[in-house]
mmCIF file of all heavy atoms in Angstrom:
data_model
loop_
_atom_site.group_PDB
_atom_site.id
_atom_site.type_symbol
_atom_site.label_atom_id
_atom_site.label_comp_id
_atom_site.label_asym_id
_atom_site.label_seq_id
_atom_site.Cartn_x
_atom_site.Cartn_y
_atom_site.Cartn_z
ATOM 1 N N GLY A 318 -58.477 266.052 61.359
ATOM 2 C CA GLY A 318 -58.138 267.408 61.772
ATOM 3 C C GLY A 318 -58.395 267.687 63.233
ATOM 4 O O GLY A 318 -58.591 268.839 63.631
ATOM 5 N N GLY A 319 -58.438 266.627 64.069
ATOM 6 C CA GLY A 319 -58.696 266.822 65.487
ATOM 7 C C GLY A 319 -60.169 267.024 65.808
ATOM 8 O O GLY A 319 -60.509 267.628 66.830
ATOM 9 N N GLU A 320 -61.062 266.520 64.954
ATOM 10 C CA GLU A 320 -62.496 266.664 65.213
ATOM 11 C C GLU A 320 -62.881 265.994 66.530
ATOM 12 O O GLU A 320 -62.346 264.946 66.892
ATOM 13 C CB GLU A 320 -63.310 266.036 64.074
ATOM 14 C CG GLU A 320 -63.179 266.734 62.735
ATOM 15 C CD GLU A 320 -61.984 266.272 61.922
ATOM 16 O OE1 GLU A 320 -61.225 265.401 62.405
ATOM 17 O OE2 GLU A 320 -61.809 266.779 60.798
ATOM 18 N N GLY A 321 -63.859 266.579 67.211
ATOM 19 C CA GLY A 321 -64.387 266.009 68.443
ATOM 20 C C GLY A 321 -65.759 265.415 68.231
ATOM 21 O O GLY A 321 -66.266 265.347 67.107
ATOM 22 N N LEU A 322 -66.402 264.980 69.322
ATOM 23 C CA LEU A 322 -67.709 264.350 69.228
ATOM 24 C C LEU A 322 -68.769 265.282 68.674
ATOM 25 O O LEU A 322 -69.818 264.826 68.203
ATOM 26 C CB LEU A 322 -68.128 263.834 70.605
ATOM 27 C CG LEU A 322 -67.246 262.738 71.211
ATOM 28 C CD1 LEU A 322 -67.744 262.378 72.600
ATOM 29 C CD2 LEU A 322 -67.196 261.509 70.323
ATOM 30 N N ASN A 323 -68.516 266.590 68.733
ATOM 31 C CA ASN A 323 -69.478 267.555 68.188
ATOM 32 C C ASN A 323 -69.312 267.775 66.687
ATOM 33 O O ASN A 323 -69.966 268.649 66.111
ATOM 34 C CB ASN A 323 -69.402 268.888 68.936
ATOM 35 C CG ASN A 323 -68.010 269.496 68.918
ATOM 36 O OD1 ASN A 323 -67.057 268.870 68.434
ATOM 37 N ND2 ASN A 323 -67.889 270.692 69.441
ATOM 38 N N THR A 324 -68.454 267.000 66.055
ATOM 39 C CA THR A 324 -68.430 266.919 64.589
ATOM 40 C C THR A 324 -69.219 265.679 64.208
ATOM 41 O O THR A 324 -68.833 264.558 64.539
ATOM 42 C CB THR A 324 -66.994 266.823 64.054
ATOM 43 O OG1 THR A 324 -66.276 268.012 64.407
ATOM 44 C CG2 THR A 324 -66.995 266.674 62.541
ATOM 45 N N VAL A 325 -70.348 265.877 63.520
ATOM 46 C CA VAL A 325 -71.313 264.796 63.310
ATOM 47 C C VAL A 325 -71.616 264.636 61.819
ATOM 48 O O VAL A 325 -71.904 265.612 61.121
ATOM 49 C CB VAL A 325 -72.628 265.083 64.069
ATOM 50 C CG1 VAL A 325 -73.625 263.943 63.858
ATOM 51 C CG2 VAL A 325 -72.362 265.303 65.554
ATOM 52 N N LEU A 326 -71.566 263.387 61.360
ATOM 53 C CA LEU A 326 -72.018 263.029 60.019
ATOM 54 C C LEU A 326 -73.207 262.094 60.194
ATOM 55 O O LEU A 326 -73.078 261.028 60.801
ATOM 56 C CB LEU A 326 -70.908 262.337 59.232
ATOM 57 C CG LEU A 326 -71.249 261.912 57.795
ATOM 58 C CD1 LEU A 326 -71.509 263.133 56.921
ATOM 59 C CD2 LEU A 326 -70.125 261.066 57.203
ATOM 60 N N ALA A 327 -74.378 262.476 59.665
ATOM 61 C CA ALA A 327 -75.599 261.729 59.970
ATOM 62 C C ALA A 327 -76.472 261.556 58.734
ATOM 63 O O ALA A 327 -76.706 262.503 57.972
ATOM 64 C CB ALA A 327 -76.400 262.457 61.057
ATOM 65 N N GLY A 328 -76.936 260.321 58.533
ATOM 66 C CA GLY A 328 -77.965 260.062 57.548
ATOM 67 C C GLY A 328 -77.526 259.953 56.106
ATOM 68 O O GLY A 328 -78.266 260.350 55.209
ATOM 69 N N PHE A 329 -76.344 259.358 55.877
ATOM 70 C CA PHE A 329 -75.842 259.194 54.508
ATOM 71 C C PHE A 329 -75.488 257.742 54.234
ATOM 72 O O PHE A 329 -75.073 257.008 55.130
ATOM 73 C CB PHE A 329 -74.584 260.043 54.285
ATOM 74 C CG PHE A 329 -74.819 261.519 54.279
ATOM 75 C CD1 PHE A 329 -74.761 262.252 55.460
ATOM 76 C CD2 PHE A 329 -75.113 262.193 53.097
ATOM 77 C CE1 PHE A 329 -74.978 263.611 55.459
ATOM 78 C CE2 PHE A 329 -75.327 263.556 53.087
ATOM 79 C CZ PHE A 329 -75.269 264.270 54.267
ATOM 80 N N THR A 330 -75.614 257.338 52.969
ATOM 81 C CA THR A 330 -74.971 256.120 52.483
ATOM 82 C C THR A 330 -73.665 256.535 51.814
ATOM 83 O O THR A 330 -73.666 257.359 50.893
ATOM 84 C CB THR A 330 -75.854 255.372 51.472
ATOM 85 O OG1 THR A 330 -76.973 254.803 52.166
ATOM 86 C CG2 THR A 330 -75.081 254.251 50.799
ATOM 87 N N ILE A 331 -72.561 255.976 52.297
ATOM 88 C CA ILE A 331 -71.235 256.277 51.761
ATOM 89 C C ILE A 331 -70.762 255.013 51.050
ATOM 90 O O ILE A 331 -70.633 253.954 51.671
ATOM 91 C CB ILE A 331 -70.269 256.666 52.892
ATOM 92 C CG1 ILE A 331 -70.839 257.849 53.682
ATOM 93 C CG2 ILE A 331 -68.895 257.017 52.336
ATOM 94 C CD1 ILE A 331 -70.153 258.084 55.004
ATOM 95 N N ARG A 332 -70.509 255.109 49.749
ATOM 96 C CA ARG A 332 -70.265 253.891 49.011
ATOM 97 C C ARG A 332 -69.212 254.050 47.909
ATOM 98 O O ARG A 332 -68.884 255.148 47.479
ATOM 99 C CB ARG A 332 -71.568 253.399 48.384
ATOM 100 C CG ARG A 332 -72.174 254.310 47.335
ATOM 101 C CD ARG A 332 -73.533 253.767 46.881
ATOM 102 N NE ARG A 332 -74.123 254.549 45.816
ATOM 103 C CZ ARG A 332 -75.337 254.336 45.309
ATOM 104 N NH1 ARG A 332 -76.061 253.346 45.781
ATOM 105 N NH2 ARG A 332 -75.797 255.086 44.335
ATOM 106 N N LYS A 333 -68.670 252.902 47.532
ATOM 107 C CA LYS A 333 -67.735 252.777 46.415
ATOM 108 C C LYS A 333 -66.462 253.596 46.597
ATOM 109 O O LYS A 333 -65.909 254.123 45.639
ATOM 110 C CB LYS A 333 -68.422 253.129 45.097
ATOM 111 C CG LYS A 333 -69.565 252.198 44.739
ATOM 112 C CD LYS A 333 -70.179 252.545 43.393
ATOM 113 C CE LYS A 333 -71.349 251.639 43.072
ATOM 114 N NZ LYS A 333 -72.001 252.005 41.784
ATOM 115 N N GLY A 334 -65.989 253.692 47.845
ATOM 116 C CA GLY A 334 -64.659 254.241 48.066
ATOM 117 C C GLY A 334 -63.615 253.186 47.735
ATOM 118 O O GLY A 334 -63.877 251.984 47.808
ATOM 119 N N ALA A 335 -62.421 253.616 47.367
ATOM 120 C CA ALA A 335 -61.348 252.675 46.999
ATOM 121 C C ALA A 335 -60.023 253.234 47.498
ATOM 122 O O ALA A 335 -59.255 253.825 46.738
ATOM 123 C CB ALA A 335 -61.321 252.447 45.498
ATOM 124 N N ALA A 336 -59.744 253.053 48.786
ATOM 125 C CA ALA A 336 -58.553 253.631 49.398
ATOM 126 C C ALA A 336 -57.301 252.836 49.048
ATOM 127 O O ALA A 336 -57.306 251.605 49.080
ATOM 128 C CB ALA A 336 -58.710 253.687 50.915
ATOM 129 N N SER A 337 -56.243 253.547 48.739
ATOM 130 C CA SER A 337 -54.974 252.885 48.443
ATOM 131 C C SER A 337 -54.256 252.457 49.722
ATOM 132 O O SER A 337 -53.267 251.726 49.666
ATOM 133 C CB SER A 337 -54.067 253.817 47.637
ATOM 134 O OG SER A 337 -53.830 255.011 48.353
ATOM 135 N N GLN A 338 -54.756 252.911 50.885
ATOM 136 C CA GLN A 338 -54.184 252.504 52.159
ATOM 137 C C GLN A 338 -55.301 251.964 53.061
ATOM 138 O O GLN A 338 -55.700 250.830 52.909
ATOM 139 C CB GLN A 338 -53.452 253.687 52.829
ATOM 140 C CG GLN A 338 -52.264 254.202 52.034
ATOM 141 C CD GLN A 338 -51.065 253.280 52.091
ATOM 142 O OE1 GLN A 338 -50.859 252.582 53.073
ATOM 143 N NE2 GLN A 338 -50.263 253.256 51.044
ATOM 144 N N ASP A 339 -55.836 252.803 53.976
ATOM 145 C CA ASP A 339 -56.816 252.347 54.963
ATOM 146 C C ASP A 339 -58.134 253.111 54.836
ATOM 147 O O ASP A 339 -58.153 254.290 54.480
ATOM 148 C CB ASP A 339 -56.274 252.554 56.379
ATOM 149 C CG ASP A 339 -54.954 251.854 56.615
ATOM 150 O OD1 ASP A 339 -54.676 250.868 55.907
ATOM 151 O OD2 ASP A 339 -54.203 252.286 57.508
ATOM 152 N N GLY A 340 -59.248 252.424 55.186
ATOM 153 C CA GLY A 340 -60.534 253.091 55.269
ATOM 154 C C GLY A 340 -61.150 253.425 53.928
ATOM 155 O O GLY A 340 -61.076 254.557 53.461
ATOM 156 N N GLY A 341 -61.821 252.455 53.306
ATOM 157 C CA GLY A 341 -62.388 252.693 51.985
ATOM 158 C C GLY A 341 -63.477 253.741 51.977
ATOM 159 O O GLY A 341 -63.468 254.668 51.172
ATOM 160 N N ALA A 342 -64.445 253.607 52.898
ATOM 161 C CA ALA A 342 -65.530 254.582 52.978
ATOM 162 C C ALA A 342 -65.180 255.724 53.921
ATOM 163 O O ALA A 342 -65.360 256.890 53.595
ATOM 164 C CB ALA A 342 -66.822 253.897 53.416
ATOM 165 N N VAL A 343 -64.679 255.386 55.118
ATOM 166 C CA VAL A 343 -64.376 256.396 56.138
ATOM 167 C C VAL A 343 -63.053 256.057 56.803
ATOM 168 O O VAL A 343 -62.797 254.898 57.140
ATOM 169 C CB VAL A 343 -65.482 256.450 57.222
ATOM 170 C CG1 VAL A 343 -65.129 257.445 58.322
ATOM 171 C CG2 VAL A 343 -66.835 256.808 56.605
ATOM 172 N N VAL A 344 -62.216 257.062 57.015
ATOM 173 C CA VAL A 344 -61.008 256.881 57.814
ATOM 174 C C VAL A 344 -60.982 257.963 58.887
ATOM 175 O O VAL A 344 -61.272 259.137 58.620
ATOM 176 C CB VAL A 344 -59.727 256.903 56.942
ATOM 177 C CG1 VAL A 344 -59.501 258.236 56.264
ATOM 178 C CG2 VAL A 344 -58.503 256.506 57.757
ATOM 179 N N ILE A 345 -60.681 257.556 60.123
ATOM 180 C CA ILE A 345 -60.639 258.458 61.270
ATOM 181 C C ILE A 345 -59.249 258.386 61.878
ATOM 182 O O ILE A 345 -58.761 257.304 62.206
ATOM 183 C CB ILE A 345 -61.696 258.071 62.322
ATOM 184 C CG1 ILE A 345 -63.096 258.149 61.718
ATOM 185 C CG2 ILE A 345 -61.581 258.963 63.549
ATOM 186 C CD1 ILE A 345 -64.197 257.668 62.653
ATOM 187 N N SER A 346 -58.604 259.567 62.036
ATOM 188 C CA SER A 346 -57.273 259.656 62.628
ATOM 189 C C SER A 346 -56.284 258.725 61.948
ATOM 190 O O SER A 346 -55.722 257.833 62.576
ATOM 191 C CB SER A 346 -57.323 259.314 64.122
ATOM 192 O OG SER A 346 -58.254 260.103 64.795
ATOM 193 N N PRO A 347 -56.057 258.887 60.640
ATOM 194 C CA PRO A 347 -55.117 257.993 59.966
ATOM 195 C C PRO A 347 -53.718 258.150 60.536
ATOM 196 O O PRO A 347 -53.342 259.235 60.986
ATOM 197 C CB PRO A 347 -55.172 258.459 58.510
ATOM 198 C CG PRO A 347 -55.680 259.853 58.565
ATOM 199 C CD PRO A 347 -56.582 259.924 59.747
ATOM 200 N N PRO A 348 -52.944 257.061 60.549
ATOM 201 C CA PRO A 348 -51.599 257.128 61.108
ATOM 202 C C PRO A 348 -50.691 258.072 60.343
ATOM 203 O O PRO A 348 -50.918 258.370 59.175
ATOM 204 C CB PRO A 348 -51.105 255.681 61.028
ATOM 205 C CG PRO A 348 -51.971 255.037 60.003
ATOM 206 C CD PRO A 348 -53.294 255.731 60.056
ATOM 207 N N ALA A 349 -49.651 258.529 61.013
ATOM 208 C CA ALA A 349 -48.775 259.562 60.465
ATOM 209 C C ALA A 349 -48.104 259.146 59.163
ATOM 210 O O ALA A 349 -47.813 259.986 58.315
ATOM 211 C CB ALA A 349 -47.712 259.936 61.498
ATOM 212 N N ASP A 350 -47.884 257.834 58.976
ATOM 213 C CA ASP A 350 -47.196 257.416 57.758
ATOM 214 C C ASP A 350 -48.081 257.539 56.520
ATOM 215 O O ASP A 350 -47.611 257.412 55.401
ATOM 216 C CB ASP A 350 -46.684 255.980 57.888
ATOM 217 C CG ASP A 350 -47.809 254.961 57.988
ATOM 218 O OD1 ASP A 350 -48.853 255.293 58.582
ATOM 219 O OD2 ASP A 350 -47.634 253.850 57.475
ATOM 220 N N ILE A 351 -49.381 257.837 56.730
ATOM 221 C CA ILE A 351 -50.262 258.036 55.594
ATOM 222 C C ILE A 351 -50.483 259.513 55.317
ATOM 223 O O ILE A 351 -50.310 259.975 54.209
ATOM 224 C CB ILE A 351 -51.620 257.337 55.819
ATOM 225 C CG1 ILE A 351 -51.400 255.839 55.899
ATOM 226 C CG2 ILE A 351 -52.609 257.673 54.712
ATOM 227 C CD1 ILE A 351 -52.653 255.047 56.176
ATOM 228 N N SER A 352 -50.864 260.297 56.342
ATOM 229 C CA SER A 352 -51.209 261.684 56.051
ATOM 230 C C SER A 352 -50.800 262.679 57.120
ATOM 231 O O SER A 352 -51.053 263.860 56.987
ATOM 232 C CB SER A 352 -52.724 261.798 55.838
ATOM 233 O OG SER A 352 -53.380 261.534 57.057
ATOM 234 N N GLY A 353 -50.181 262.227 58.200
ATOM 235 C CA GLY A 353 -49.795 263.143 59.251
ATOM 236 C C GLY A 353 -50.975 263.710 60.004
ATOM 237 O O GLY A 353 -50.895 264.790 60.588
ATOM 238 N N GLY A 354 -52.095 262.990 60.031
ATOM 239 C CA GLY A 354 -53.318 263.502 60.634
ATOM 240 C C GLY A 354 -53.252 263.602 62.145
ATOM 241 O O GLY A 354 -52.434 262.980 62.813
ATOM 242 N N THR A 355 -54.167 264.419 62.699
ATOM 243 C CA THR A 355 -54.296 264.609 64.139
ATOM 244 C C THR A 355 -55.399 263.703 64.666
ATOM 245 O O THR A 355 -56.406 263.486 64.000
ATOM 246 C CB THR A 355 -54.661 266.076 64.440
ATOM 247 O OG1 THR A 355 -53.656 266.916 63.872
ATOM 248 C CG2 THR A 355 -54.749 266.325 65.932
ATOM 249 N N SER A 356 -55.238 263.177 65.883
ATOM 250 C CA SER A 356 -56.230 262.288 66.470
ATOM 251 C C SER A 356 -57.605 262.938 66.481
ATOM 252 O O SER A 356 -57.762 264.096 66.862
ATOM 253 C CB SER A 356 -55.809 261.930 67.898
ATOM 254 O OG SER A 356 -56.751 261.071 68.485
ATOM 255 N N SER A 357 -58.623 262.183 66.063
ATOM 256 C CA SER A 357 -59.972 262.713 65.913
ATOM 257 C C SER A 357 -60.990 261.773 66.542
ATOM 258 O O SER A 357 -60.771 260.566 66.621
ATOM 259 C CB SER A 357 -60.306 262.905 64.437
ATOM 260 O OG SER A 357 -59.382 263.773 63.816
ATOM 261 N N SER A 358 -62.118 262.344 66.976
ATOM 262 C CA SER A 358 -63.167 261.571 67.647
ATOM 263 C C SER A 358 -64.547 262.039 67.201
ATOM 264 O O SER A 358 -65.341 262.530 68.000
ATOM 265 C CB SER A 358 -63.033 261.718 69.171
ATOM 266 O OG SER A 358 -61.756 261.321 69.619
ATOM 267 N N PRO A 359 -64.882 261.891 65.927
ATOM 268 C CA PRO A 359 -66.176 262.360 65.445
ATOM 269 C C PRO A 359 -67.311 261.402 65.825
ATOM 270 O O PRO A 359 -67.082 260.308 66.350
ATOM 271 C CB PRO A 359 -65.985 262.387 63.933
ATOM 272 C CG PRO A 359 -65.044 261.246 63.689
ATOM 273 C CD PRO A 359 -64.098 261.259 64.855
ATOM 274 N N THR A 360 -68.535 261.828 65.519
ATOM 275 C CA THR A 360 -69.722 260.992 65.692
ATOM 276 C C THR A 360 -70.319 260.679 64.329
ATOM 277 O O THR A 360 -70.580 261.592 63.543
ATOM 278 C CB THR A 360 -70.775 261.720 66.546
ATOM 279 O OG1 THR A 360 -70.234 261.979 67.851
ATOM 280 C CG2 THR A 360 -72.038 260.883 66.678
#
Side-chain angles (χ1 to χ4, degrees):
E320 294 86 359
L322 297 177
N323 57 354
T324 297
V325 181
L326 180 65
F329 291 89
T330 290
I331 304 165
R332 64 185 184 185
K333 297 183 182 177
S337 58
Q338 297 286 330
D339 303 336
V343 177
V344 64
I345 299 175
S346 306
D350 66 326
I351 296 178
S352 67
T355 303
S356 180
S357 302
S358 303
T360 298

